[in-house]
Amino acid sequence: MIDYLSALDFEYLILLRIGASILFAFLLGLEREVTGKFAGLRTHILVSAGACVFTLLSIYGFKMHIVEGLSGVNDPARIAAQIITGIGFIGAGSVMRHGNNIYGITTAATLWMCAAIGMACGTGMYAIAATATIFSLIVLILIRRFERNFLSSKTNEEKMLEIRFSAPIVYIEEMAELVDKNFDKIQKIERKIINDDRVSKIVIKMRILSNCQISAVNDVFKDKNFIEKIEIQEIYE
């Protein structure tokens, strides 16, 4: 009975730690998902839970043992060190370059932090994991607002962007309103109607001057369900 209770308590401990890693990763992944980043909820949850499982294995899975008179060595730090190195490959996959701009570094850093939070949960350090999650959310949400409100207009140089987007012809008024409301430095604009799969569509192609990052321009369109396709790129002249 004692052994049974001990095993039950151990299983509860394991589930608690993995569950905590999933919860904290959900909060960070949700922020990335809402802002439309490449790595969202599933990626962050899997990274954190995976780091937690590897940490649990390093602590409990390789206990000191004796085989044929030779004593094995339990070194939990070995697997933990490999987690830090291995997560770099996943982070690198979220970094993209477009012209002179590089995107995804913040998401890569968030994944790196997510792995650290998972490791903290794996060792049972819930206070550290919770604190790291809270401060990460503060950085992702509040610091981004500070950058957009106080730094963007001062540090970003004006550049030429080409935007091409399309929608069913029935949304022509919404398309026109979207352009008029959000873009005031239009250098060139073209509108044409095409028939695609027996459906008439309005396609707008325009060049604008902007000091915003491409991701910020994309935010103008991300909540517009009627837009079927959008392409944004920087023009070098």
Side-chain angles (χ1 to χ4, degrees):
M1 178 64 71
I2 295 177
D3 292 339
Y4 173 76
L5 290 176
S6 298
L8 189 62
D9 291 341
F10 178 74
E11 291 179 0
Y12 171 76
L13 179 145
I14 297 299
L15 291 175
L16 178 62
R17 293 184 180 182
I18 296 176
S21 71
I22 292 174
L23 173 62
F24 294 134
F26 175 84
L27 297 176
L28 290 180
L30 181 62
E31 190 280 336
R32 295 285 86 186
E33 191 81 35
V34 170
T35 53
K37 307 304 179 183
F38 293 107
L41 275 172
R42 291 179 297 175
T43 304
H44 283 77
I45 289 174
L46 289 175
V47 166
S48 180
C52 179
V53 171
F54 276 122
T55 304
L56 288 169
L57 287 174
S58 68
I59 296 174
Y60 301 107
F62 303 100
K63 287 293 186 181
M64 183 178 295
H65 57 282
I66 299 176
V67 179
E68 296 181 355
L70 300 176
S71 61
V73 178
N74 180 32
D75 185 5
R78 288 186 179 182
I79 292 182
Q82 298 308 312
I83 294 173
I84 298 172
T85 304
I87 197 63
F89 289 96
I90 300 177
S94 65
V95 178
M96 300 183 64
R97 179 173 181 175
H98 185 86
N100 293 329
N101 297 318
I102 298 177
Y103 305 95
I105 295 180
T106 301
T107 300
T110 306
L111 289 170
W112 188 56
M113 173 61 78
C114 211
I117 292 171
M119 293 172 67
C121 291
T123 58
M125 296 182 176
Y126 304 117
I128 292 178
T131 302
T133 302
I134 292 172
F135 277 103
S136 296
L137 288 172
I138 290 174
V139 170
L140 290 172
I141 298 174
L142 297 184
I143 299 301
R144 180 175 65 247
R145 292 181 180 178
F146 174 79
E147 289 176 341
R148 289 183 176 179
N149 293 333
F150 298 100
L151 299 181
S152 294
S153 60
K154 298 179 181 179
T155 59
N156 294 337
E157 296 181 356
E158 201 167 61
K159 51 187 172 290
M160 181 77 71
L161 299 178
E162 182 176 276
I163 306 173
R164 179 186 175 94
F165 54 104
S166 62
I169 191 65
V170 294
Y171 294 104
I172 187 171
E173 294 183 1
E174 287 85 346
M175 297 271 280
E177 183 181 354
L178 183 66
V179 172
D180 295 338
K181 181 179 179 181
N182 294 281
F183 304 104
D184 55 355
K185 295 184 179 180
I186 301 176
Q187 300 294 306
K188 181 181 179 181
I189 186 168
E190 300 176 5
R191 298 182 179 90
K192 64 179 180 178
I193 298 175
I194 61 174
N195 293 319
D196 185 9
D197 297 331
R198 299 180 181 179
V199 176
S200 296
K201 296 182 181 180
I202 174 70
V203 178
I204 296 180
K205 180 180 178 181
M206 63 184 185
R207 288 191 177 187
I208 65 170
L209 281 175
S210 175
N211 60 355
C212 297
Q213 296 291 334
I214 293 180
S215 58
V217 176
N218 185 63
D219 289 344
V220 173
F221 303 92
K222 69 176 184 179
D223 295 328
K224 306 300 184 294
N225 296 327
F226 58 84
I227 294 180
E228 296 180 348
K229 183 179 180 181
I230 179 171
E231 298 175 3
I232 305 175
Q233 61 180 347
E234 186 173 349
I235 304 299
Y236 302 95
E237 297 180 336

